[in-house]
Amino acid sequence: SMLPTRRFFNTMLDDAHLVIRCRLSDLSRRVSEGRLFNQMLDMLKFYSGFEINDQTGLALTDHDMLDYHYNSITSLQRAAFKHFEELQPFAMSNVASIDKRESLLKHFKPLTNATLHKIAAHLCLLPQPNADTDKEQYPTEFLLELLVSRHERRMSQIQALNEMPLYPTEEVLWDENVVPSEFFSGESCLALPKLNLQFLTLHDYLLRNLNLFRLESTYEIKEDIEDIVGRMKPWLMEDGTTGFSGWARMSQPITTFTIVEVAKPNIGENRPSRVRADIKLTLSVKTAVKAEWEALRKHDVVFLISCRMTRSMDLSKPLRERFGIAYVRGCEVQGMLDDTGKLIEENPFEPRPELEGDSRTFRVWLDTNQYQQDMAATLKGAEDVYDTFNILMRRKPKENNFKAVLETIRSLMNTECVVPDWVHDVFLGYGDPAAANYRQVSNYIETLDWNDTFLDMAHLTACFPDHVVKCTLDDPNKQAPPFRLTIPGEKGHQNETEKPTIVVEPYKIENRGPYPHDQPRKNAIPFTPTQVEAIKSGMQPGLTLVVGPPGTGKTDVAVQIISNLYHNYPNQRTLLVTHSNQALNQLFEKILELDIEERHLLRLGHGEEELETDKDFSRYGRVNFILHKRLELLAEVQRLQESLGIRGDVAYTCETAGHFFQYQVVGRWKVFMGKVQTRPGKVCCFTMCQLSVHCCMIWTGAGCGSHQQRVSLPQVF
């Protein structure tokens, strides 16, 4: 599973046919004793055939693997057509009809051991048969498996990943080879993937993280299930069904469970596109607990448990056997149904309807991959899992986000490019880690807007002690922030004896209005030279890691980097991801103090209610903000309409306001401009700002003495 050792070791394994010999061993055929061996053998088989070029180290696409498969089986067909007459039907068949295991066995099983050996030798898989003896040198079973496993069509890794259920089942939850118990001593090995210092491809890295995170969450889910089942105290009733004499806050007995929809598969898929079910509960519990169940949100994950008690309870057995836990399936909440059977949509503008009684029905989405596997097993004679559930378990929201994480990793693995080229090799553990630093990246940006990073010119000069700072303006009174800096890269500075020169260009921010709240918010933190270097690195293309003990200003540096990126790239989006809600709220509150427009801020996830602000930055809050802003601007349009004495409801919509501006305001503005005459020695500046649906016209005279003059067109203001 590491490229340097894989290049020679994988060839040795392939030449010795180790995977095939292990698969045909006696231990592999034992169900209980060979379970761990088979699981580890599956991992060995997976990595021995991993989709990577062992020589170049480049990841192979599905198209590359398909070409390799077709070349392999067509070469077998050519050899059969030329040298083996008994395989003429095989040689003349199309590839799609013979590249499956069943088809290959159908053609090769009738052949003798000697013929199979000759075919394998012709393909350079085995040495030539010894002509001096008639004894079989290799078992027929081994020869068949060798030829079939070499030429059968394998499912691609992406396809296998997309068909994998994300929720853990009872088979995984109580498999101690992958989910060890609390008494695990560490003396035996586990069939778990490892996080190495190096990875084969980005797909390999993401797949290991997906499997490990899935198993980590599985361990926690297993503990929760064992806890609530023990608290529910299941017992066998006289009619043979399972009853519950206990109580658990996080679980409830299921009254009825019904599959209500199985949608048709999407094009190119064989699983249902959607499977929905209704779960009916009787919440005869305390008001607080009942409110918790009714507060289940859309996309919350709950678990369906099938518990079957027997007449004799052996306390020495594991908990699953003791309480008869037969099946466990995960599902995702869509919402709660009202008294009429309609789904109650989440609407922050309207209160939720109050339902009478204790009966509540929840509609959930089932895992379509798991449902397809269960239905396939049912067709083969197995029990219908979805007729057996009798417990619904919920978990705490902070501990129950595993499905969203797994879906994110899976979606990343379905994309062609996830990380930039300059960090790809470093991410996988190859090359020089310093290659991802901005000094080594080829697309270094010399001129950037540092906005309000520096308090004044003296602060800027002190932050670059190893540079010569030159300002484009000679007047010290005009050398005030914000600044635009031109810093040459190491490649652009050739003379090592002289200090590099930084060119500072002060500029003025466009006037945003006469009111105090219109003035831009400025940074008040005097960053140190080390912090400025971190800000510089964060503004450049490349990887930046800001590390330090508490209280060293890491959050302030991160916030300033975000603000500078916002002003340098106004048309791009910035995504902030933190490990906890508290860390995200700290970042968010400091971002609100800088010059970033409120309409460009959005906070997702839990913990938004803990923000120390009266404003709502959730998705619904942003919609409310835009609607409120629209009403304010339309009110300004109405004021302008009334001052001009124009009839009609021009402030009804943004479209009518736009027509009003185009046909009423612009013409009057041109008349006003024509009547205004500039006096000798006076400079007149006219500006007209169209802010979506209203306009504001200002005239200022510069150089008119110690005061400014303002002239407005009558009937306008």
Side-chain angles (χ1 to χ4, degrees):
S1 61
M2 298 180 68
L3 191 59
T5 54
R6 176 186 180 85
R7 285 174 171 151
F8 66 89
F9 191 67
N10 199 32
T11 304
M12 295 174 56
L13 293 179
D14 188 52
D15 183 66
H17 310 296
L18 179 65
V19 175
I20 298 175
R21 295 180 186 275
C22 291
R23 186 64 71 191
L24 298 176
S25 64
D26 293 336
L27 180 59
S28 176
R29 298 174 181 178
R30 300 174 187 172
V31 178
S32 57
E33 297 90 341
R35 184 177 180 84
L36 175 60
F37 177 76
N38 284 324
Q39 290 173 341
M40 301 189 71
L41 184 58
D42 289 338
M43 294 180 61
L44 177 61
K45 181 181 178 181
F46 174 80
Y47 277 102
S48 63
F50 197 83
E51 299 173 355
I52 187 175
N53 188 313
D54 291 347
Q55 282 68 44
T56 62
L58 297 177
L60 300 178
T61 62
D62 289 345
H63 182 73
D64 296 333
M65 296 299 296
L66 201 59
D67 286 344
Y68 175 79
H69 167 70
Y70 285 151
N71 292 334
S72 174
I73 198 166
T74 51
S75 64
L76 176 61
Q77 284 184 299
R78 286 194 297 268
F81 181 81
K82 187 174 181 180
H83 302 285
F84 304 96
E85 294 183 359
E86 54 267 53
L87 288 176
Q88 290 298 318
F90 171 81
M92 300 302 294
S93 302
N94 64 75
V95 173
S97 64
I98 59 173
D99 63 351
K100 295 181 176 60
R101 171 172 284 267
E102 295 79 9
S103 302
L104 290 170
L105 288 174
K106 178 181 177 181
H107 286 283
F108 286 104
K109 257 190 175 182
L111 302 180
T112 62
N113 182 280
T115 305
L116 293 173
H117 192 171
K118 289 179 181 179
I119 296 174
H122 184 79
L123 298 175
C124 300
L125 300 178
L126 292 174
Q128 290 291 338
N130 189 357
D132 298 335
T133 178
D134 295 334
K135 185 179 180 181
E136 295 182 356
Q137 300 179 23
Y138 297 96
T140 303
E141 185 181 15
F142 170 77
L143 295 173
L144 277 173
E145 183 65 25
L146 176 61
L147 293 174
V148 171
S149 62
R150 281 278 181 166
H151 300 94
E152 67 176 334
R153 184 170 182 174
R154 300 178 182 177
M155 181 184 294
S156 69
Q157 296 176 0
I158 292 296
Q159 184 181 357
L161 178 69
N162 292 334
E163 295 182 1
M164 179 186 70
L166 294 180
Y167 301 110
T169 63
E170 68 284 349
E171 295 180 357
V172 179
L173 285 166
W174 284 277
D175 186 354
E176 294 195 359
N177 295 330
V178 292
V179 184
S181 64
E182 58 180 335
F183 305 107
F184 178 69
S185 62
E187 296 179 356
S188 59
C189 58
L190 299 174
L192 298 177
K194 309 297 189 297
L195 288 181
N196 297 332
L197 297 177
Q198 292 181 339
F199 302 92
L200 294 177
T201 61
L202 191 61
H203 179 96
D204 178 32
Y205 170 79
L206 293 174
L207 184 62
R208 290 171 187 256
N209 278 275
L210 181 139
N211 289 329
L212 288 174
F213 185 82
R214 182 167 177 258
L215 294 176
E216 179 183 359
S217 58
T218 299
Y219 180 81
E220 298 172 353
I221 294 169
K222 172 187 173 182
E223 290 186 327
D224 291 342
I225 292 176
E226 293 179 346
D227 177 65
I228 66 104
V229 171
R231 293 176 182 271
M232 295 283 288
K233 297 180 181 179
W235 60 285
L236 185 64
M237 297 192 295
E238 295 181 356
D239 58 357
T241 60
T242 300
F244 302 95
S245 59
W247 176 84
R249 190 186 192 98
M250 307 302 289
S251 64
Q252 285 293 322
I254 295 177
T255 305
T256 58
F257 178 87
T258 309
I259 302 291
V260 296
E261 181 188 15
V262 180
K264 295 181 179 180
N266 295 323
I267 297 176
E269 298 179 352
N270 56 3
R271 67 178 185 273
S273 59
R274 182 176 61 253
V275 180
R276 296 193 298 174
D278 286 350
I279 306 172
K280 189 174 182 180
L281 307 176
T282 302
L283 299 178
S284 301
V285 292
K286 295 181 180 179
T287 305
V289 179
K290 185 177 182 179
E292 291 178 2
W293 280 95
E294 293 179 345
L296 283 174
R297 299 171 56 183
K298 190 176 183 179
H299 302 300
D300 282 349
V301 174
V302 294
F303 288 89
L304 303 163
I305 304 171
S306 175
C307 186
R308 294 174 177 171
M309 284 298 296
T310 58
R311 296 193 179 278
S312 59
M313 179 186 294
D314 190 353
L315 298 179
S316 63
K317 291 184 178 181
L319 186 139
R320 181 193 177 187
E321 299 180 11
R322 192 190 320 159
F323 292 109
I325 302 177
Y327 305 107
V328 176
R329 296 292 183 268
C331 56
E332 189 175 353
V333 175
Q334 184 182 6
M336 189 169 62
L337 304 183
D338 59 14
D339 296 332
T340 62
K342 295 182 179 180
L343 191 67
I344 301 175
E345 299 289 345
E346 293 184 6
N347 190 347
F349 311 114
E350 298 179 2
R352 299 190 66 174
E354 296 184 1
L355 304 180
E356 298 180 356
D358 296 332
S359 179
R360 298 292 181 269
T361 303
F362 295 91
R363 181 155 293 172
V364 297
W365 289 300
L366 301 178
D367 191 317
T368 56
N369 289 324
Q370 187 64 58
Y371 182 82
Q372 182 194 21
Q373 294 180 10
D374 292 335
M375 290 299 101
T378 303
L379 292 176
K380 295 180 181 179
E383 182 182 19
D384 189 352
V385 175
Y386 300 94
D387 290 339
T388 64
F389 297 127
N390 51 11
I391 298 178
L392 180 67
M393 184 189 79
R394 62 185 175 93
R395 302 179 70 218
K396 296 179 181 178
K398 293 183 179 180
E399 304 171 355
N400 206 29
N401 64 342
F402 72 97
K403 182 176 183 289
V405 176
L406 295 178
E407 284 184 333
T408 303
I409 298 176
R410 185 161 67 177
S411 63
L412 282 176
M413 298 174 71
N414 279 276
T415 58
E416 294 183 359
C417 179
V418 179
V419 298
D421 294 336
W422 48 263
V423 76
H424 184 270
D425 291 343
V426 176
F427 195 79
L428 297 181
Y430 302 103
D432 183 9
N437 188 265
Y438 75 94
R439 297 184 181 89
Q440 308 297 329
V441 178
S442 58
N443 53 345
Y444 175 81
I445 304 173
E446 291 191 349
T447 303
L448 286 170
D449 183 5
W450 287 68
N451 196 29
D452 57 356
T453 305
F454 308 103
L455 304 182
D456 49 35
M457 192 65 186
H459 179 213
L460 190 154
T461 305
C463 289
F464 295 98
D466 298 332
H467 293 73
V468 177
V469 179
K470 293 184 179 181
C471 186
T472 57
L473 300 178
D474 297 331
D475 188 357
N477 295 326
K478 297 182 179 180
Q479 296 177 358
F483 297 117
R484 189 177 289 110
L485 272 61
T486 301
I487 306 176
E490 295 184 357
K491 297 180 180 179
H493 181 68
Q494 303 295 337
N495 194 343
E496 298 181 357
T497 59
E498 297 181 0
K499 292 184 178 181
T501 301
I502 297 178
V503 179
V504 180
E505 179 187 355
Y507 67 94
K508 290 186 178 180
I509 301 176
E510 183 180 355
N511 189 5
R512 301 177 183 176
Y515 304 107
H517 64 267
D518 294 327
Q519 304 306 313
R521 297 180 292 272
K522 297 182 180 180
N523 165 53
I525 300 175
F527 292 108
T528 64
T530 303
Q531 292 174 328
V532 169
E533 174 62 24
I535 296 173
K536 175 186 175 184
S537 176
M539 295 169 62
Q540 293 287 345
L543 181 64
T544 299
L545 298 178
V546 181
V547 183
T552 53
K554 298 186 296 298
T555 304
D556 294 327
V557 168
V559 169
Q560 192 62 41
I561 291 174
I562 295 166
S563 175
N564 292 354
L565 291 174
Y566 170 81
H567 288 90
N568 279 278
Y569 310 100
N571 295 326
Q572 297 186 15
R573 299 179 180 180
T574 304
L575 176 64
L576 308 181
V577 182
T578 62
H579 186 67
S580 63
N581 293 326
Q582 182 181 4
L584 182 61
N585 287 340
Q586 290 177 353
L587 273 175
F588 208 88
E589 290 169 0
K590 292 194 174 185
I591 289 173
L592 292 174
E593 299 174 0
L594 295 181
D595 186 26
I596 296 179
E597 292 190 43
E598 180 185 340
R599 63 191 178 96
H600 291 155
L601 295 174
L602 171 65
R603 191 197 183 285
L604 300 175
H606 296 280
E608 191 267 338
E609 63 279 357
E610 299 176 3
L611 275 175
E612 295 183 0
T613 178
D614 297 333
K615 300 176 181 178
D616 187 2
F617 289 96
S618 64
R619 289 177 296 176
Y620 296 111
R622 295 299 84 198
V623 173
N624 287 339
F625 172 79
I626 295 299
L627 294 177
H628 180 70
K629 192 68 176 178
R630 171 181 174 273
L631 294 177
E632 288 183 354
L633 296 178
L634 288 176
E636 294 295 324
V637 173
Q638 186 172 0
R639 288 178 55 196
L640 184 59
Q641 173 196 358
E642 294 172 354
S643 67
L644 294 176
I646 298 175
R647 298 181 178 180
D649 194 2
V650 300
Y652 182 67
T653 64
C654 296
E655 184 178 5
T656 58
H659 289 297
F660 166 70
F661 173 80
Q662 185 68 30
Y663 297 109
Q664 301 291 342
V665 178
V666 172
R668 286 172 169 78
W669 180 258
K670 290 181 179 179
V671 173
F672 174 69
M673 291 288 292
K675 292 183 178 181
V676 173
Q677 296 180 358
T678 307
R679 290 179 291 175
K682 308 300 179 182
V683 179
C684 298
C685 175
F686 301 92
T687 62
M688 179 173 64
C689 303
Q690 180 184 2
L691 303 177
S692 298
V693 295
H694 80 291
C695 62
C696 142
M697 286 149 280
I698 303 173
W699 175 87
T700 57
C704 302
S706 59
H707 64 281
Q708 293 182 343
Q709 299 177 0
R710 175 169 295 181
V711 178
S712 59
L713 181 66
Q715 296 183 342
V716 175
F717 292 100

